[in-house]
Amino acid sequence: MRVAFIGLGTMGEPMALNILKAGHEIVVNNRTKNKEELLAAHGAKRAITPQEAAREAEVIITCLSDTPDVEQVVLGDNGIIYGAQVGSVVVDMSTISPEATCRMADALSKKGIKMVDAPVSGGSEGAMHGTLAIMVGGDSLDVAKVLPVLKAMGTTITHVGPIGAGQITKSINQIIIAGVYVGVAEGMALGLKAGLDMEKVVQAISQGAAGSWVLSNRAMNMINNTYPLGFRVRLHQKDLGIALETARKLGVTLPVAAVVDQIETAVIANGYGDEDVSAVARSIREQSGIR
Amino acid sequence: MRVAFIGLGTMGEPMALNILKAGHEIVVNNRTKNKEELLAAHGAKRAITPQEAAREAEVIITCLSDTPDVEQVVLGDNGIIYGAQVGSVVVDMSTISPEATCRMADALSKKGIKMVDAPVSGGSEGAMHGTLAIMVGGDSLDVAKVLPVLKAMGTTITHVGPIGAGQITKSINQIIIAGVYVGVAEGMALGLKAGLDMEKVVQAISQGAAGSWVLSNRAMNMINNTYPLGFRVRLHQKDLGIALETARKLGVTLPVAAVVDQIETAVIANGYGDEDVSAVARSIREQSGIR
């Protein structure tokens, strides 16, 4: 297919490379121009603006940091909306506000342009290996159309509902992660303070009802008090902010996610925002006098 | 081995049966006497008091509800301490205070009686099938001595440290469970309020970083708003109370576990204490107006 890819960051660059490798034609665009060079060296065309990138594309992918970035690229000056063909599909793979997603889809639909939201999980490693989990919201026909391109980037691709549903699913993912990470961090802190052999403790409990991906893959970070990436605390907190805002608008109470948001504020304020999310354990450890 | 088993409740009865089936001799004792009959029908002897049950035993197992029950049976009138032989090992498989555990072990050791703490997880199903996870604290020689009996009841048996370490590990398990259950409950509430197909959402996220035993095995309870047992909320809250008390004494801060404790208080106060722990979702659902 003819694909435009806008946003070549930590996630976007390897995702675009995987689309190229799968045999699709690709036009790339990035605010910082030299980030386009690697893709160009692999055969991608380059476009000066999102508008120009969108012109020939059947599928236009955006992979950006936050809601205002996507709004700018889709609806702003030289935005996708001024270049995209009738019937083309915008696929936003950023993690942004579900409400803003629906507003953009409305604006695009007035010009005959379709939109699908498709945020991902699996981190930079999943982006590199094409093993992302992709949570897709949109009309079935549009989702079916872009599926060959999504398959170049991910292994678990789930169509969860109408436009915006992908973003809400991503919020659900981040809310659950919040509870699990801090639950594990609190458990590890108790055991550390009591002087237990924490590797044995993790082994004793990880196959039962307390078991999770976090316990199996991130508890050792918390025990060793080193937090290599992974997924940055500050990015998780950005996503949790979207989740809390969405929950507030929908009227859903999230008492644990709200506490975790405060813990992450403290971790970031103390200079650890670029560490892995498991660094929430720093807050529990330090407040408990564990050195 | 010659085993005494004191406390034939929901957990103790099937655990004692598995010890019998493994070929050990067993003497049982229970406060409510007719609970001894099933075991007697399978070949167990009966004893009038814990003191009498302990008299001939090499291993004396207690499986009771809470700290005061174990203190009564071990140190009270007609308690184990007045019957047990020098060199015998008391194995407490209840979930109780680690501090009280250490105090009892001290009292017993003055009479030449050993003690091991060995709380379990895996619920009544694990008790029935002999597939419990057993978290063991105590001296290595004592643990080695009782291992053949533990193996009749569980599949994952981990010696985590000295006396009391089993109880602290159980607390860690319950702290982690607290964060995971409410994290999942909050995520499900957001999706339900937004009208998503929650079965698809769970499928989309359960293989990634949000994955857990709870998400895979209890999210459907929360989605359907029905909470069959499982493990009772009121028992989890009892255990969480021990964890919070232990953390307070050790100087460990547990902000998420404390919030979950409050949520469980509300769930129990509203009459749902005998439902599965996943009923914490009732609180999130009802406060969010999800019917």
Side-chain angles (χ1 to χ4, degrees):
Chain A
M1 295 184 92
R2 293 190 309 279
V3 180
F5 201 109
I6 299 160
L8 302 169
T10 313
M11 297 295 287
E13 184 181 81
M15 288 160 70
L17 269 172
N18 282 328
I19 293 173
L20 259 183
K21 283 180 196 156
H24 301 285
E25 282 177 51
I26 197 164
V27 183
V28 297
N29 171 260
N30 196 65
R31 196 172 45 186
T32 309
K33 285 294 160 189
N34 63 11
K35 283 289 288 177
E36 296 168 358
E37 286 163 13
L38 177 73
L39 269 295
H42 282 78
K45 290 183 195 166
R46 297 170 69 169
I48 304 286
T49 64
Q51 178 180 18
E52 189 198 315
R55 225 179 280 279
E56 309 275 309
E58 298 161 278
V59 178
I60 303 144
I61 297 175
T62 52
C63 190
L64 301 156
S65 295
D66 208 345
T67 308
D69 310 299
V70 179
E71 288 174 330
Q72 177 64 32
V73 157
V74 173
L75 304 178
D77 290 346
N78 304 308
I80 291 166
I81 197 168
Y82 303 110
Q85 294 174 15
V86 169
S88 63
V89 186
V90 173
V91 180
D92 179 36
M93 304 189 75
S94 325
T95 296
I96 68 163
S97 154
E99 208 187 14
T101 297
C102 294
R103 279 199 311 268
M104 281 187 277
D106 274 349
L108 288 167
S109 86
K110 285 179 186 132
K111 302 264 195 157
I113 306 162
K114 315 288 188 176
M115 183 168 175
V116 160
D117 59 318
V120 304
S121 79
S124 52
E125 206 172 300
M128 206 157 338
H129 298 119
T131 56
L132 293 167
I134 310 180
M135 299 151 256
V136 189
D139 290 346
S140 294
L141 282 176
D142 303 332
V143 174
K145 186 173 174 186
V146 303
L147 200 59
V149 181
L150 297 181
K151 280 186 175 161
M153 296 177 280
T155 39
T156 309
I157 300 163
T158 315
H159 181 200
V160 286
I163 184 78
Q167 294 297 349
I168 292 177
T169 301
K170 180 71 186 282
S171 278
I172 293 167
N173 189 74
Q174 303 303 55
I175 290 166
I176 293 173
I177 277 176
V180 181
Y181 270 91
V182 176
V184 173
E186 291 184 2
M188 294 304 107
L190 185 71
L192 288 164
K193 196 83 188 263
L196 301 192
D197 177 340
M198 293 309 295
E199 209 163 333
K200 277 195 187 156
V201 169
V202 171
Q203 179 195 321
I205 63 177
S206 58
Q207 298 311 307
S212 65
W213 184 92
V214 175
L215 184 61
S216 297
N217 293 282
R218 294 292 182 261
M220 284 313 295
N221 287 2
M222 302 179 185
I223 294 165
N224 298 329
N225 207 27
T226 56
Y227 309 94
L229 291 176
F231 182 62
R232 284 172 214 279
V233 183
R234 75 168 79 253
L235 292 179
H236 181 258
Q237 203 201 25
K238 184 216 96 186
D239 293 359
L240 202 53
I242 293 168
L244 287 162
E245 188 197 336
T246 304
R248 198 169 175 160
K249 282 177 182 156
L250 285 174
V252 176
T253 179
L254 303 179
V256 164
V259 168
V260 175
D261 183 48
Q262 299 301 314
I263 291 170
E264 291 186 347
T265 295
V267 170
I268 295 165
N270 281 283
Y272 303 114
D274 291 318
E275 294 188 342
D276 180 71
V277 188
S278 47
V280 292
R282 284 190 179 278
S283 170
I284 310 296
R285 286 178 63 114
E286 281 165 27
Q287 286 187 62
S288 306
I290 301 165
R291 301 284 166 237
Chain B
M1 298 185 90
R2 293 191 308 280
V3 180
F5 201 108
I6 299 160
L8 302 169
T10 314
M11 297 295 288
E13 183 181 83
M15 287 160 68
L17 271 172
N18 282 328
I19 294 173
L20 259 183
K21 283 181 196 157
H24 302 285
E25 283 177 51
I26 196 164
V27 182
V28 297
N29 170 259
N30 196 66
R31 195 172 46 187
T32 309
K33 286 293 163 191
N34 63 11
K35 283 289 288 177
E36 295 168 359
E37 287 164 13
L38 177 71
L39 269 295
H42 282 79
K45 289 183 193 164
R46 298 169 69 169
I48 304 285
T49 63
Q51 178 181 16
E52 189 198 314
R55 224 178 281 279
E56 308 276 310
E58 299 161 278
V59 178
I60 303 143
I61 297 175
T62 51
C63 190
L64 301 158
S65 294
D66 207 346
T67 308
D69 310 300
V70 179
E71 287 174 330
Q72 178 63 33
V73 159
V74 173
L75 305 178
D77 291 345
N78 304 308
I80 291 166
I81 196 167
Y82 302 111
Q85 294 175 16
V86 169
S88 64
V89 186
V90 174
V91 180
D92 179 36
M93 305 189 76
S94 325
T95 296
I96 68 164
S97 155
E99 209 188 15
T101 297
C102 294
R103 279 199 310 267
M104 282 187 277
D106 274 350
L108 289 167
S109 85
K110 285 177 187 134
K111 302 265 193 156
I113 306 162
K114 315 287 189 177
M115 184 169 174
V116 160
D117 59 317
V120 305
S121 79
S124 51
E125 205 172 302
M128 205 158 335
H129 298 117
T131 56
L132 293 167
I134 309 181
M135 298 150 257
V136 189
D139 289 346
S140 294
L141 282 175
D142 303 332
V143 174
K145 186 173 173 185
V146 304
L147 200 60
V149 181
L150 296 181
K151 279 187 174 159
M153 295 177 280
T155 40
T156 309
I157 299 162
T158 316
H159 182 199
V160 286
I163 184 77
Q167 294 296 351
I168 292 177
T169 302
K170 181 70 186 282
S171 279
I172 294 168
N173 189 74
Q174 303 302 55
I175 290 166
I176 293 174
I177 278 177
V180 181
Y181 270 92
V182 176
V184 172
E186 291 184 3
M188 294 304 106
L190 185 71
L192 287 164
K193 197 82 188 262
L196 299 192
D197 177 338
M198 292 310 294
E199 208 164 333
K200 277 196 186 158
V201 168
V202 171
Q203 178 194 324
I205 64 178
S206 58
Q207 297 312 305
S212 65
W213 184 91
V214 175
L215 183 61
S216 297
N217 294 283
R218 293 292 182 263
M220 285 312 296
N221 287 2
M222 303 179 186
I223 294 165
N224 297 330
N225 206 28
T226 56
Y227 308 95
L229 291 177
F231 182 63
R232 284 174 213 277
V233 183
R234 75 167 80 253
L235 292 179
H236 182 258
Q237 203 202 24
K238 183 215 98 187
D239 294 358
L240 202 53
I242 293 168
L244 286 162
E245 189 196 336
T246 304
R248 198 170 175 159
K249 282 177 182 156
L250 286 173
V252 176
T253 177
L254 303 180
V256 163
V259 168
V260 174
D261 183 48
Q262 299 301 315
I263 291 171
E264 291 186 346
T265 295
V267 170
I268 295 165
N270 281 281
Y272 303 115
D274 291 317
E275 294 188 341
D276 181 70
V277 189
S278 47
V280 292
R282 284 190 180 277
S283 169
I284 311 295
R285 287 178 63 114
E286 281 166 26
Q287 286 186 62
S288 306
I290 300 165
R291 301 285 167 233

